[in-house]
Amino acid sequence: MIRTVRLGVNVDHVATIRNARGGALPDPVRAARAAITAGADSITAHLREDRRHIRDADIEALRALSSPLNFEMAATPEMIALAVRLVPHACCLVPERREERTTEGGLNVIGQKESLRPAIAALKEAGIRVSLFVEPSLAVLEAAADLGAPVVELHTGTWCDALAAGDSAKAAAEFERIAAAAHGGEKLGLEIHAGHGLDYASAEEVSRLPEIAELNIGHFLIGEAVFVGLGNTIARMRKAMDTGRAAAGAAA
Ligand code: PXP
């Protein structure tokens, strides 16, 4: 039986628009409810140290929804304490630099093994499913498995940037890295997610990789929603992912 790819909808940029005017609208929690109605399997939100988009009250309200919350966060004592208090379904640990526009790369799992180890243990102890946002590299995945993380999210941003720039040689090489990491990671016993920079076409393509269990997508969906509505956008994304996954099944 073919496993469908789960869709996690990241609502950070609904909060970005809200914060541009300093008021309460648009409400990221309303967007999350609409996304769930339209077929999202889970909601993702990143509470950054600088609170530039999602705020503490948003995370609390998103946690109270019936669908699983994937809480993206840096592995800082402040965020770990909050996660342990709220117990979201999952925490995705990401690197964070104050001056970056968005998460720029995967976690330095190899270099930060000793500081990540207690963070992962504390989250797991609280009953949270821990995911590490990583570069598609087998050495990094081996370090993630060694740390006891059950899930990795492969960073698709470099591949998506190459596609957007029309650099087909680089895109092909990057896709190969993602495919090899998905395959090798699953062999290590890791559940494989992917995300960053995905649109309809790239989400369809990456869904062809049979190891991919979940995609987390934000910026493109919120941008498209301006033109066709969030429900239509999510329905179309679901279809793209299902088409990709069906092609994987046919090839197997
Ligand atoms: N996954 C992770 C770990 C991220 O940091 C982000 C960006 O917040 C995403 C997925 C979603 O990326 P995008 O907004 O480009 O779809």
Side-chain angles (χ1 to χ4, degrees):
M1 203 187 84
I2 309 172
R3 187 173 60 151
T4 42
V5 184
R6 294 192 304 267
L7 171 60
V9 172
N10 181 315
V11 295
D12 290 354
H13 295 305
V14 179
T16 302
I17 300 170
R18 174 194 64 191
N19 297 356
R21 283 294 171 96
L25 302 176
D27 178 7
V29 182
R30 181 176 170 199
R33 282 202 198 92
I36 292 160
T37 303
D41 297 291
S42 55
I43 298 299
T44 294
H46 183 179
L47 184 67
R48 296 182 66 99
E49 183 202 14
D50 61 10
R51 309 309 198 257
R52 74 169 69 148
H53 37 57
I54 293 292
R55 298 177 181 145
D56 298 58
D58 299 323
I59 283 288
E60 302 242 2
L62 292 170
R63 171 66 185 91
L65 297 177
S66 55
S67 287
L69 171 64
N70 176 31
F71 178 10
E72 246 186 60
M73 54 180 248
T76 60
E78 180 199 17
M79 291 299 156
I80 288 164
L82 183 58
V84 166
R85 179 168 70 75
L86 293 179
V87 194
H89 166 74
C91 277
C92 180
L93 300 181
V94 300
E96 203 173 288
R97 282 196 311 123
R98 191 171 270 266
E99 64 275 18
E100 72 193 354
R101 247 188 259 167
T102 179
T103 316
E104 284 170 348
L107 271 177
N108 178 7
V109 184
I110 297 170
Q112 294 175 345
K113 225 171 171 181
E114 291 326 307
S115 60
L116 285 170
R117 197 181 292 279
I120 293 167
L123 295 169
K124 283 176 71 177
E125 172 77 23
I128 301 165
R129 196 151 171 81
V130 180
S131 161
L132 305 184
F133 186 51
V134 294
E135 293 300 321
S137 137
L138 202 53
V140 175
L141 299 187
E142 281 165 356
D146 180 56
L147 285 172
V151 183
V152 288
E153 181 171 319
L154 302 178
H155 191 324
T156 51
T158 311
W159 173 53
C160 292
D161 286 348
L163 287 172
D167 187 341
S168 49
K170 186 171 180 191
E174 276 301 318
F175 190 75
E176 270 315 300
R177 284 182 76 209
I178 294 167
H183 191 63
E186 192 174 74
K187 279 195 171 155
L188 290 167
L190 296 163
E191 181 175 312
I192 311 295
H193 299 178
H196 214 285
L198 295 170
D199 61 11
Y200 295 134
S202 50
E204 178 177 330
E205 197 170 343
V206 83
S207 296
R208 288 171 181 249
L209 300 176
E211 298 87 3
I212 299 288
E214 176 174 313
L215 298 180
N216 284 298
I217 311 179
H219 186 265
F220 174 79
L221 293 175
I222 305 307
E224 275 299 288
V226 170
F227 302 103
V228 297
L230 193 55
N232 289 329
T233 306
I234 289 172
R236 191 165 160 200
M237 182 56 81
R238 254 274 44 104
K239 205 164 168 208
M241 290 162 59
D242 290 346
T243 301
R245 180 44 50 96

